[in-house]
């Protein structure tokens, strides 16, 4: 039976809902900025705004952000959520990523099953990072079932994400397998002491030990190694970069508000710095548009198209990182020592954005762009 949601049934409606919600997320952010904290109320607000189902097709009660043609609204939704709270944006991006992967790799019955879970309020995520010495392995049992051994680290939303999408090594070198864990039925053992970060405290990115948990055959998503197919694997970097740009936008907005509050808007040096920050922000928005255009173009999923999509995504994530770092530097000069004292938000924004920018393999991403252009290829 087709399910439609008249309250949020288009990409444009999702974007508008995220823009409306962002100030509320920002107002709640300081309260959960503690180690082991989690923005429970913020995710309740996302659910109430129907944004937890926005990546589903309209027929399944979503807003259609799963369609490649809706990549720009998808990125703008993530940017608005990141503007509100980077910790919320990190977990929310993982939620959307998991739902998109299930739609890409799962069977029709699995897509319907997990769409129903999303409508019921389940929070999804992707847990891929692990210490190789204690990584997750699937041990075969009868009837297509498996028992798990090992742990994941940086398991964002642990204890709150009830449908994590997880990678594990199959027996006998068969490759890596994705599976969904019904975490409220078989909860992993969490080591909360693992998460003592500089920033992003409220993401609850604990160590999750899955040892002894058993899976049914229908919990497996896709074929072995399908998670690493391009362009989806590396090209997905544009989503976390959009969240990061939202954090930079929050830095810009709060800097402007701070200077207005001090009556420093006539200072020529402050005006110069705000002008530089405005250019950085607009540059980031142009990168978001460009990344969306590349992801949505015909042939993006072909072998040649995938290579171009990944190279552009690597350029975009690198450019956004530089934009964010420059935005922080200029904001510090604008607000001075006074602005870096709590309860001003700059101290938290600085910690969160600095920490979140440390995404895996930044040098390799940039080197891949260089290889692409040295091979004489064009975007």
């Amino acid at each position: 039976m087709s399910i439609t949601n008249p309250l949020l049934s288009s990409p444009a409606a999702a974007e508008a809902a995220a823009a409306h919600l962002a100030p509320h997320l920002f107002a709640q952010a300081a309260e959960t900025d503690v180690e082991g904290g989690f923005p429970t109320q913020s995710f309740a607000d996302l659910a109430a705004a129907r944004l937890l189902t926005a990546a589903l097709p309209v027929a399944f009660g979503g807003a259609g952000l799963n369609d490649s043609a809706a990549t720009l609204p998808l990125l703008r939704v993530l940017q608005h959520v990141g503007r509100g709270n980077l910790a919320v944006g990190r977990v929310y991006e993982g939620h959307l990523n998991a739902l998109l992967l299930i739609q890409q790799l799962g069977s029709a019955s699995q897509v319907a099953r997990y769409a129903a879970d999303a409508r019921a309020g389940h929070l999804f995520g992707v847990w891929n990072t692990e210490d190789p010495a204690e990584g997750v392995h699937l041990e075969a049992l009868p009837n297509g079932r498996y028992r798990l051994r090992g742990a994941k680290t940086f398991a964002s939303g642990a204890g709150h994400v009830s449908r994590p999408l997880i990678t594990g090594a199959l027996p006998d070198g068969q490759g890596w397998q994705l599976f969904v864990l019904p975490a409220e039925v078989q909860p992993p053992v969490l080591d909360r002491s693992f998460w003592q970060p500089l920033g992003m405290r409220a993401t609850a990115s604990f160590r999750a030990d899955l040892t002894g948990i058993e899976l049914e055959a229908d919990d497996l998503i896709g074929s072995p190694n399908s998670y690493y197919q391009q362009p989806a694997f590396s090209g997905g970097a544009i989503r976390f970069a959009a969240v990061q740009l939202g954090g930079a936008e929050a830095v810009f907005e709060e800097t402007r508000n701070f200077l207005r509050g001090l009556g420093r808007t006539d200072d020529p040096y402050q005006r110069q710095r705000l002008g530089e920050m405005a250019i950085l922000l607009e540059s980031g928005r142009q990168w978001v548009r460009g990344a969306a255009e590349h992801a949505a173009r015909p042939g993006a999923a072909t072998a040649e198209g995938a290579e171009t999509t990944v190279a552009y995504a690597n350029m975009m994530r690198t450019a956004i990182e530089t934009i964010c770092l420059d935005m922080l530097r200029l904001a510090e000069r604008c607000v001075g020592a006074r602005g870096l004292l709590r309860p001003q938000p700059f101290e938290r924004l600085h910690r969160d954005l600095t920490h979140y920018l440390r995404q895996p393999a930044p040098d390799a991403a940039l080197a891949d762009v260089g290889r692409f252009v040295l091979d004489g290829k064009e975007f």
Side-chain angles (χ1 to χ4, degrees), residues 110-124:
Q110 287 175 323
V111 171
R113 168 186 171 188
Y114 292 117
D117 281 350
R119 292 195 302 273
H122 285 281
L123 190 59
F124 288 70

Side-chain angles (χ1 to χ4, degrees), residues 175-197:
W176 290 86
Q177 179 64 54
L178 272 177
F179 59 89
V180 177
L181 176 67
E184 84 282 15
V185 178
Q186 298 193 81
V189 177
L190 304 181
D191 177 6
R192 290 173 168 81
S193 68
F194 170 83
W195 191 235
Q196 301 183 53

Side-chain angles (χ1 to χ4, degrees), residues 75 229-240 291 295 306 309-314 316:
L75 296 181
Q229 292 176 359
Q230 299 288 22
F233 180 64
S234 299
I238 64 175
R239 292 192 294 271
F240 70 67
T309 299
V310 169
Y312 197 92
N314 284 334
M316 183 261 206

Side-chain angles (χ1 to χ4, degrees), residues 10-11 14 51 54-56 62-68 70-71 73-74 77 92 96 100:
S10 72
L51 286 167
L56 297 176
L65 292 181
N66 60 299
D67 192 329
S68 63
T71 302
L74 169 66
V77 165
Y92 181 62
L96 296 187
L100 292 172

